[in-house]
Amino acid sequence: MDTLCGSKFWDSNLSLHTDNPDLTPCFQNSLLAWAPCIYLWATLPWYLLYLRRNSQGYIVLSRLCRLKTALGVLLWCISWADLFYSFHGLLHGQGPAPVFFVTPLVVGVTMLLATLLIQYERLRGVQSSGILIIFWFLCVVCAIIPFRSKILAAMAEGSISDPFRFCTFYIYFALVLSALILSCFREKPPFFSPKNVDPNPCPEGSAGFLSRLSFWWFTELAILGYRRPLEEKDLWSLDKDDRSHVVVHRLLKAWRQQQKQAARRQKAAAALGKKGTGEDVGLLRGRPQVQEPSFLRALLVTFGPAFLISTFFKLIQDLLNFTNPQLLSILIRFISNPEAPTWWGFLVAGLMFVCSVTQTLILHQYYHCIFVTALRLRTGIIGVIYRKALAITNSVKRESTVGEMVNLMSVDAQRFMDVSPFLNLLWSAPLQVILAIYFLWQIVGPSVLAGVALMVLLIPLNGAVAMKMRAFQVEQMKLKDSRIKLMSEILGGIKVLKLYAWEPSFLKQVEGIRESELQLLRKSAYLQAISTFIWICTPFLVTLVTLGVYVCVDENNILDAEKAFVSVSLFNILKVPLNMLPQLISNLTQTSVSLKRIQNFLIQDELDPQCVERKTISPGCAITIQNGTFTWAQDLPPVLHSLNIQIPKGALVAVVGPVGCGKSSLVSALLGEMEKLEGKVSMKGSVAYVPQQAWIQNCTLQDNVLFGQPLDPKRYQRALEACALLPDLEVLPGGDQTEIGEKGINLSGGQRQRISLARAVYSNSDIVLLDDPLSAVDSHVAKHIFDHVIGPEGVLAGKTRVLVTHGISFLPQTDFIIVLADGQVSEVGPYSALLQRDGSFASFLRNYAPDDEQEDHTALQGTEDDVLLIEDTLSNNTDLTDNEPVMYEVRKQFMREMSTMSSEGEAQGRSASRRRLDSSEKTVQVTEAKVTGALTQEETAATGNVKLSVFLDYAKAVGIYTTLAICLLYVCQNAAAIGASVWLSEWSNEASMEQRPNNTSLRLGVYATLGIMQGLLVMLSAFTMALGGMQAARLLHHSLLHNKMHSPQSFFDTTPSGRILNRFSKDIYVIDEVLAPTILMLFNSLFSSLSTLVVIVVSTPLFAVVIVPLAALYTFVQRFYVATSRQLKRLESISRSPIYSHFSETVTGTSVIRAYCRSHDFEVLSDTKVDINQMSCYPYIASNRWLGIRVEFVGNCVVLFAALFAVIGRSSLNPGLVGLSVSYALQVTMSLNWLVRMMSDLESNIVAVERVKEYSKTETEAPWVVESSRPPKGWPPHGEVEFRDYSVRYRPGLDLVLKQLNVHVHGGEKVGIVGRTGAGKSSMTLCLFRILEAAEGEIRIDGLNVASIGLHDLRSQLTIIPQDPILFSGTLRLNLDPFNNYSEEDIWQALELSHLHTFVSSQPAGLDFQCSEGGENLSVGQRQLVCLARALLRKSRILVLDEATAAIDLETDDLIQATIRTQFDNCTVLTIAHRLNTIMDYTRILVLDKGEVAEFDSPTNLIAARGIFYGMAKDAGLA
């Protein structure tokens, strides 16, 4: 170098040991001038590669770009001028040093390169270039030193030695500075770039380099979120690469690739197996290798590259992490050496600050990169699972419940997202550990091994604790699942529980599960406390052991400030990776389990789309099956065998047969939903399908009918008319824009079925498969539907129709009938032919025809009265709604009330109930209600600050004394920690006092005591918090559960069960497992930040001056962040549930979706829902980075000022104090960051307490038992029921539903209750059970006023057979007798009488036969019989029979009627009748009209009187 310059390259006297430092001219002209050039040439190849890959379209040449280019050209000219000046000198014999030729040449070429790069970037659409900003910045920084030197030299000499170079240098400096300033501005967006149609694009894409580096682009949203709560419309739309369909497509492509490879490997292995000799084959057969495609590989292929970029950032950050301890050691040496020039100190303080800021910027780029990748990972997995769920076979669906599939999507996909940020620790943790040990070895030599050994020993301990906690968690998840499942069933069947007075039994079950759950929670909370103790004590114990060994090993080893505090700061760095490792390992094990589950799901069998031949078919036919044998799963026996069916185009075919003969299976086989074992199925044309249980989406009624097709008003109107939906639209609150709840909860069974039918009519398909659609509706409506839709005159005439049916009356109008028996076709032919043949079909008809045929003829002769039809349409609905009581009129009323309620300023949370109206009011209200149309209130995302009262509520639940104790323990713990550090600082100062330390043992002893004390106090506070947290969890759940069990029925009618369940699952989970740890972390960060400030202020009092501005900046940032992030988190959780509810809805409706060929549309719908969720996730990720950079900047300022003031006050400070204050300052960034995050987390999570409290305070029904007035034993003896001047309304302020009712039913009478819709039939029975309470008047049973006794005393003495049979999952015995009141004989006797004996005794488990959820594994008929058995067991004097119209075949119906006539002959029976023929032999019939008694007499007298009843009987063909 010296030869290159012709002078000295480095001179330490000039540069270091002086109060006025400078660099030699040689150094300035060579290395300093080349540094930026070296940087640009080094990064160039990579940058060009990146630009070639990513083009955004070119940018039009702007003024800014012209200016930049001009500056570049000028700089190039300046460099060449310098070069020519050197040549000029050479020619004139001055002989300048070689460096004057090399440097201008290098700089000139680099400037030319930079100018070309500006243009190339413009052509590739780069708006702001990071590479060039850094280049210009380096040029300016490197030019500052010569800038100062040249002026100093000129002043010292009094003249300028080289005027030309002096001038060119200052022009160069001005140009470089201008270039730097210009490069900070960004260019216009690229031309020809796809026009951004986004109304609200993400500003990140167009942000400049500096804005991206500091996340400044997020500031706008932060300010907006601070001004007002954010809403969905404020969120930015997603970048193209983050959109679901792009991400999922990439992942699917990789997965398909893996599947192909696996199939190839499988083939190869099979081929090898065949070739091998006998022995080999034997060996191979011993362990058959199934080649499964690897989902992990697919993930790596898709998301690997993004991970690599983040790895690069992480590497730089890890290396930078170790510079601050080195700088600290220089700073302490500087303080110890009074001769050192002051500028050294300032330089070190400045370097510490620069180093920290760089580290902050790089760390957050790393985090942003990794979190965004993690988000994409989750999106991809959700999309792949969704697409798979649409294609799996029924046998797979049988094995995994909907819940399990939703879990794959919610829990398992989330786990991948959670583990991603830790993945880089796999290489980063070992790297950090090695570096830390290396640097520690430099300071304390081999003694470091003692500390490291201790750390390594603690790892298995940590691991063991973590493993144990995992085990607890798995167990606890099981308990939680069973508790939620039970709760969900309770909420589903709450009405039945109330009617049977079964709540206590189920309450006990839930509390039993909850108790075991809390015990596990307590155990894991204690373990958590132990692991916190280890985590707090580890760094301290390690420091203690290392320094102790170091001092004791050798007399000459003296502990000075540098050794003590540099070791402490290195151990603090070491603490992070070592503590993260156990967490990483447990996360990885969880994720590997999730990976296996997802992979298992993805390799399950899919339905064969070619199973049904759609192209070719024998001429004239629409459907043919040749020798078809079908099963639901490969391992099950076939359900249908050797079927041969041919259905001509446009025919109407009925499929009949007894329950369980395979009628529905036949339809499934035609749809390709079953697995075909042999034979051939062909169908020509598009298909519509109406399943037996209507599948209704959670969207508007219109969307349900259109089902993705464009709206054609005429066709739509015709479909509604034909399916008798117009009268319903009039009473639905929003007409056809009414939103239908999940699973069609706010519709009656009949309405659901008719909407499902309207969907088929509107689809205009060639083939319509109808699986018993008429069973769920009244006979009048069934007739209307048959005539207008299905029959020869209906809108579907001319289409091919396959109708599975139980109804006999329509069979004569079909083209031909297929009779099934035991999975085979027993007879085929037209109605008349089958009757003459006198086979199984004819005998089946004879049993049931008499009533029906008569009814049929009358109906055919009678002219239809439109009004009657409308009334009947309604009657069907309302009567059905007795078990799903949110009714239209009611709903409409409910809406109206919601609006009046809010206008009157009442609390909106009051459970609004329902009622019926008379027709006179209908017209007025339809218009009002049409406006709203939504059934349930939107669940609101609470906004703004969480009220202080909520924190107080939680503190009270924890216990006030416990709360105070925790705070006190934290104060003591931090005092102990500060004490230990101050003691260490005093100890290390002994070394600088030049005195031989002789009390090493005392020093070590006190230090150890203080440290251990700190650890114990931490553990104590964690234990206390755990106890308090458990106490709160128990109390809050207890009050919530008891309140819900006592809530009136109206509450459940107006609140979606999902919303109540959410309180029991999500919110209780937060209270159980999230709140206490969050509060602990918050206290930790708060107290450690405070103790840092205390230590710094005590050691350098000057620091107090900057505390106020820094605190102000911190609070400012924190306020902005908390407001925005809290709202983003709320939006995120609100937008997450639709993804899962849409998924579970899809899984239940796959057969319908596939039948209508709508799979693709549903995929798009799911993607859209995921994208909406991502739209709030993405800004939330960015908000954390935005906060991190700003808060860490405050922390970096603390480091800067602690170091600066130490330098300024060096005369009065000892090295120990400086070490203490700066090493504390280095830790503060972490705790400040955590403090804000934890405050924000606490605010987001404490909302759970608020939500649980809200539902623990809703109004309750009357007490279950009133001790002071209990009915006498054996009451009621006769079963006499009397209504006296009885009136009732659904809720205060509404009109009466029953008005001044006076009815007297004698003991043992059989009374049928009939009436049009809204007459108050159901209300009457509900009043008897006090589900509705009287407005005036009373009901007396055997002379006792029912209002005076407890609800359970009343309800347990009445029996009801409800319309919808509801069973709970558990044993059959539990479903019949939950309180174990009856003996085995009683139960078997009841089963015998209810015709279930043969079925139950054929089950191996007998009475312990497990009913699945909702009794799914029993047929509807069997469930109805179970309800009958319940009634037979109770044998109370009063039986209420709500007649079922649902899918009961006539046989079951007859069985029930016969049993009631024989077994309850001496009881009082009240029957709400749909089919009049069942009550024609009753003692009396009560006809209700508009809530009043219209007629009440024996059937014969009523028919003779020719009143309302006569009209009804005439309609039914009975008069």
Side-chain angles (χ1 to χ4, degrees), residues 637-651:
V639 183
L640 300 169
H641 27 94
S642 31
L643 294 182
N644 283 299
I645 295 174
Q646 279 200 336
I647 297 175
K649 259 197 182 138

Side-chain angles (χ1 to χ4, degrees), residues 190 214 242 274 285 587 603 636 660 774 800 1040 1346 1410 1430:
S214 61
D242 293 323
K274 276 180 195 157
R285 207 169 283 148
N587 269 354
I603 57 177
L636 294 175
L774 301 175
T800 310
L1040 176 66
V1346 295
Q1410 281 292 332
R1430 285 177 188 163

Side-chain angles (χ1 to χ4, degrees), residues 238-244 247 372 376 379 1171 1174 1178:
L238 289 175
D239 202 36
K240 186 171 109 349
D241 294 338
D242 293 323
R243 299 232 162 123
S244 283
V247 177
V372 170
R376 284 183 193 167
T379 305
D1171 282 346
Q1174 283 199 86
Y1178 193 85

Side-chain angles (χ1 to χ4, degrees), residues 1119-1130:
R1119 290 281 296 282
F1120 272 101
Y1121 166 77
V1122 168
T1124 307
S1125 95
R1126 180 178 55 222
Q1127 207 52 29
L1128 284 171
K1129 202 156 182 191
R1130 280 175 181 163

Side-chain angles (χ1 to χ4, degrees), residues 573-873:
I573 292 177
L574 194 51
K575 169 168 105 173
V576 179
L578 283 181
N579 278 298
M580 288 306 227
L581 273 178
Q583 195 179 349
L584 172 68
I585 291 162
S586 82
N587 269 354
L588 276 177
T589 47
Q590 271 174 284
T591 312
S592 67
V593 171
S594 291
L595 180 71
K596 273 197 202 106
R597 285 175 44 161
I598 291 175
Q599 184 162 314
N600 279 345
F601 180 67
L602 291 180
I603 57 177
Q604 294 289 0
D605 299 338
E606 298 190 8
L607 280 175
D608 174 17
Q610 264 60 55
C611 167
V612 177
E613 174 61 56
R614 284 299 179 87
K615 303 277 186 304
T616 54
I617 193 163
S618 41
C621 288
I623 302 172
T624 60
I625 301 180
Q626 290 159 19
N627 194 24
T629 301
F630 303 91
T631 176
W632 280 114
Q634 293 292 349
D635 48 1
L636 294 175
V639 183
L640 300 169
H641 27 94
S642 31
L643 294 182
N644 283 299
I645 295 174
Q646 279 200 336
I647 297 175
K649 259 197 182 138
L652 166 54
V653 180
V655 180
V656 297
V659 172
C661 68
K663 299 188 291 290
S664 298
S665 302
L666 174 64
V667 176
S668 298
L670 291 176
L671 288 170
E673 296 282 317
M674 291 182 77
E675 295 185 34
K676 183 171 65 176
L677 298 178
E678 56 182 40
K680 188 175 173 202
V681 185
S682 317
M683 271 165 91
K684 189 85 173 46
S686 54
V687 179
Y689 168 51
V690 181
Q692 188 171 5
Q693 294 201 314
W695 176 71
I696 301 290
Q697 281 178 278
N698 182 3
C699 55
T700 64
L701 188 143
Q702 186 181 40
D703 293 341
N704 264 299
V705 176
L706 299 183
F707 206 50
Q709 291 199 347
L711 174 65
D712 167 351
K714 271 191 184 152
R715 191 166 100 203
Y716 176 62
Q717 204 55 29
R718 205 178 71 201
L720 293 183
E721 224 166 287
C723 297
L725 279 167
L726 291 178
D728 301 312
L729 293 190
E730 285 184 16
V731 286
L732 283 173
D736 62 358
Q737 295 307 314
T738 305
E739 189 195 335
I740 298 176
E742 40 183 337
K743 298 183 189 154
I745 183 85
N746 48 340
L747 298 175
S748 68
Q751 277 171 316
R752 280 185 286 207
Q753 199 61 48
R754 294 207 307 280
I755 289 173
S756 177
L757 199 59
R759 179 190 298 159
V761 173
Y762 187 79
S763 73
N764 210 7
S765 306
D766 307 328
I767 299 174
V768 186
L769 304 176
L770 303 148
D771 192 352
D772 204 7
L774 301 175
S775 60
V777 296
D778 256 14
S779 50
H780 335 271
V781 184
K783 182 172 182 326
H784 172 92
I785 288 178
F786 188 83
D787 294 345
H788 289 76
V789 182
I790 306 169
E793 307 291 310
V795 281
L796 293 180
K799 311 273 186 204
T800 310
R801 292 143 294 165
V802 177
L803 170 69
V804 171
T805 182
H806 284 138
I808 297 161
S809 46
F810 308 120
L811 296 181
Q813 299 181 49
T814 55
D815 295 334
F816 65 94
I817 297 168
I818 298 174
V819 185
L820 288 182
D822 298 328
Q824 283 173 315
V825 177
S826 74
E827 293 182 282
V828 180
Y831 183 74
S832 47
L834 288 180
L835 268 184
Q836 286 155 10
R837 201 177 300 167
D838 211 21
S840 52
F841 177 70
S843 56
F844 169 74
L845 270 186
R846 262 185 228 111
N847 291 340
Y848 296 109
D851 312 346
D852 274 8
E853 261 176 46
Q854 183 188 355
E855 175 186 340
D856 207 38
H857 296 313
T858 340
L860 285 173
Q861 298 150 10
T863 52
E864 284 180 13
D865 180 11
D866 259 0
V867 182
L868 272 179
L869 176 69
I870 289 179
E871 288 281 5
D872 288 334
T873 318

Side-chain angles (χ1 to χ4, degrees), residues 182-201:
L182 285 180
S183 64
C184 292
F185 293 100
R186 63 192 171 127
E187 292 280 358
K188 291 194 184 80
F191 203 54
F192 293 135
S193 62
K195 248 296 172 239
N196 235 342
V197 279
D198 288 341
N200 193 2

